[in-house]
Amino acid sequence: MKTIKVALIGNPNVGKTSILNHLVGANLKIGNWAGVTVEKKEGKTFFQDYEVYFIDLPGVYTLEEVVSEDEKVTLDFLLSGDYDVILNVIETPRIERDLYLTCQLLDLGKPMVLALNMIDEAQKIGISIDVERLAELLKVRVVKTVGRTGEGVKEILPAVVEAYEKQTIPFQISYPSELEEKVKAFRESTGENLSKFETLRLLEGEVPELIRIIKEKRLSFTRGVVNEVVKRKLLPKESLTETLDRFLLHPFFGFLSFVFIMYLFFKTSFDFSKPIIDWIDGFLQEFLAPLCAQVLEDLGVSEFLRSFIANAVFGGVGVVLSFLPLIAVMYFFLTLLETSGYLPRVSFLMDRFTHKIGLHGQSVIPLILGLGCNVPAILATRTFQETKDKLLVIAMVPFISCPARLVVFSFFAFVFFQNPVAVILGLYFLGIIFSVLTGVLLRKTLLKKELSHFVMDLPPYRMPAWRTVFNITKVYIKDFLYRAGTVIFGVSVLVWLLLNLPIGEKNIENTYAAKLGKALSYVLSPVGLGDWRISTSLVSGFLAREAILSNLGVIVSEEKEDGLEKIDPKEKAKEEFFKLGEALKQSFTSLFSFFPASFSVEEEEGSLKEKIKGLMNFKQALSLLVFVLIYNSCAATVITMAREGNVKFALGFLVYSFVLAWVLAFLAFRLV
């Protein structure tokens, strides 16, 4: 079977991903381009005797002035020639803008297919395209599509095969005769088989004044094609996008709308996922882990190995899976906001505020996501065009408090303080303050650069295609599990080993984790956290903040679990089935409540409260809370920082956040 490699290219927000999703379905994959953190979407399908392989290149407006990582990736791939056909996707309502990129693609001299996407939206606003004439002028196959519904998308495949088999070269723009002579002479002098586009780029480097001549010719050609094939009806009626933007981009009402939408976003994400998260945790720890332990015991497996499989393996998987419901729901709504056209407007709306710390409005989205989970917040920086801006926001995200921290905040605030709600809110605001201060500090030192001007083309509002939204969400979930899950699991196993070695040791004070905690106590003593029991709990707290409470509870009780509770598999399975039903009921019921149930603080077990209360005073508790707030949120965050930025940057931030946390905890302990 022959393979056809298709380069999928177009301006940002023209619907390339929707078209790719309809073409390849479940074969869609998302990753990173080799050597860079720019997102890569690709997939394959089969048609006739061909395996058609699609590579979705990052959206760009032009190939002439390459600035961002996205543009560099796209240009490098196109110049590499490692593809057979170009599929150029055009947003039909804005055909004049998009055809300027098409002019540059024509000069590459590769077989090409043109997809006029969103043809339905063009018709609604009175735009009609003479498809036959456009195909004749450009010497390419032209297909009309509606990426949202998939209408016309399947016609792309026969068009691609035809372009590949006939090897039809698109129309070549005729530049002024003097320039054409230069192109011919340059090709002959080098002896290389360069495309006209590559030759023109090299000539521009030698003779900069040619840039203006080439641009003017491409612009005039674009206008000529538009005048020839586009017909417009006069429609004085205001479009839906203009009507909505009049309100949603208003300086006052637009901001209120943004706050309300974000409130619903997080409220729904937290409340819907929390019961399912609790059920997953209970299912693993109260059913699968004991069941596995019983089976292994019956098989005569040693106690140490049973404990490892039941606690470390299921515990590690539980940590990973506990992320899943929240991440799935957040990615679903995030994709929904993005494909509807609202998310780019958030960046536009917040641009003037973020300028004060040297960033553009695009940085707001990851910081907001940080309130839900720092991991997807860092992943959201993939869309940034400049590396320094991306690293800056990645360094700001870990200071934004997530629900895992809220669990710890709530427990200690209600145990040690008279006004716990004020303490919790104060911690949230303190995190935001140091997030901003870190951004300002990095912008003036290591990541110093001129302010990136925020210019973007706002797409029209659209009704998202549910199939596309679900498929993209599914791909992101698989990608998250593959990228972060295995590493988080490995770290959880390491923590368990520290708490259970040497083998057979029953006294937790003699384990390797306790020894590590005692070693850390020398560093943490000045901030009031020198007790080895506290410092040991902070070790496991690096894996997941909630683990601070559970491990501290085990330590202060001066006992280790002798084994997992015996269960009746049939009765327990039945019980878990009903619990799942109750969890799903709570999840869907929460959608009809305006108040966020996931932020309601539950009273903790009295015995644990009393034991921990006897372990420290309120000054130590405040120091602990400040330390937990400022020190890098968790292992998953560090791992994601390393993958999305680089290892050196992640480790550097780890040291920075530890030192900053130590200093602030010291001040809180000594001055309060």
Side-chain angles (χ1 to χ4, degrees), residues 103-152:
C103 289
Q104 298 163 56
L105 298 175
L106 293 174
D107 284 342
L108 288 168
K110 281 276 192 177
M112 187 161 71
V113 175
L114 212 62
L116 294 180
N117 198 29
M118 306 178 199
I119 195 73
D120 56 332
E121 294 181 12
Q123 292 169 350
K124 287 179 182 178
I125 59 175
I127 295 178
S128 61
I129 310 294
D130 187 340
V131 175
E132 290 75 18
R133 182 59 176 156
L134 180 61
E136 182 185 348
L137 288 172
L138 302 184
K139 294 185 180 179
V140 299
R141 278 288 302 273
V142 181
V143 179
K144 296 189 290 186
T145 63
V146 180
R148 183 176 60 83
T149 63
E151 181 183 340

Side-chain angles (χ1 to χ4, degrees), residues 269 273-274 276-278 280-281 284 315-331 372-377 379 402-404 477 480-481 484-485 487-489 492 542-546 633-640:
S269 298
S273 60
K274 187 176 184 296
I276 304 175
I277 290 173
D278 293 340
I280 291 174
D281 183 60
L284 289 171
V317 172
V319 170
V320 177
L321 292 182
S322 66
F323 280 100
L324 268 182
L326 180 61
I327 284 183
V329 176
M330 290 184 71
Y331 265 127
C373 179
N374 288 173
V375 172
L379 294 177
C402 59
I477 291 171
F480 168 77
L481 285 173
V487 186
I488 298 172
F489 168 71
S492 70
F542 178 61
L543 174 65
R545 286 296 188 247
E546 308 95 320
S633 52
C634 64
T637 302
V638 177
I639 294 162
T640 310

Side-chain angles (χ1 to χ4, degrees), residues 498-502 505 507-515 560:
L498 291 173
L499 288 167
N500 288 272
L501 290 175
E505 179 59 59
N507 186 353
I508 196 171
E509 190 171 351
N510 296 327
T511 62
Y512 292 157
K515 291 178 181 179
K560 294 183 68 173

Side-chain angles (χ1 to χ4, degrees), residues 130 344 364 587:
D130 187 340
V364 173
S587 293

Side-chain angles (χ1 to χ4, degrees), residues 536-596:
T536 300
S537 70
L538 290 175
V539 173
S540 56
F542 178 61
L543 174 65
R545 286 296 188 247
E546 308 95 320
I548 292 174
L549 294 180
S550 60
N551 286 307
L552 195 58
V554 172
I555 293 170
V556 297
S557 299
E558 295 183 354
E559 63 182 11
K560 294 183 68 173
E561 297 182 9
D562 295 325
L564 294 169
E565 180 187 355
K566 294 284 185 179
I567 63 169
D568 182 340
K570 290 184 178 180
E571 287 297 319
K572 196 64 178 176
K574 183 178 178 181
E575 180 184 336
E576 290 298 327
F577 177 77
F578 285 112
K579 282 184 179 180
L580 174 60
E582 184 61 29
L584 293 174
K585 179 182 176 182
Q586 290 178 19
S587 293
F588 285 101
T589 303
S590 70
L591 299 177
F592 302 98
S593 171
F594 185 77
F595 183 76

Side-chain angles (χ1 to χ4, degrees), residues 10-61:
N11 285 195
N13 302 309
V14 297
K16 292 190 288 95
T17 303
S18 296
I19 289 177
L20 180 62
N21 182 65
H22 285 292
L23 285 169
V24 304
N27 292 319
L28 178 65
K29 295 181 180 179
I30 295 178
N32 280 358
W33 288 85
V36 293
T37 56
V38 175
E39 190 174 79
K40 179 182 185 180
K41 296 188 183 78
E42 56 189 348
K44 64 181 179 181
T45 189
F46 299 94
F47 183 76
Q48 294 178 359
D49 295 328
Y50 294 97
E51 180 184 67
V52 187
Y53 186 73
F54 291 92
I55 303 99
D56 184 6
L57 299 174
V60 295
Y61 291 105

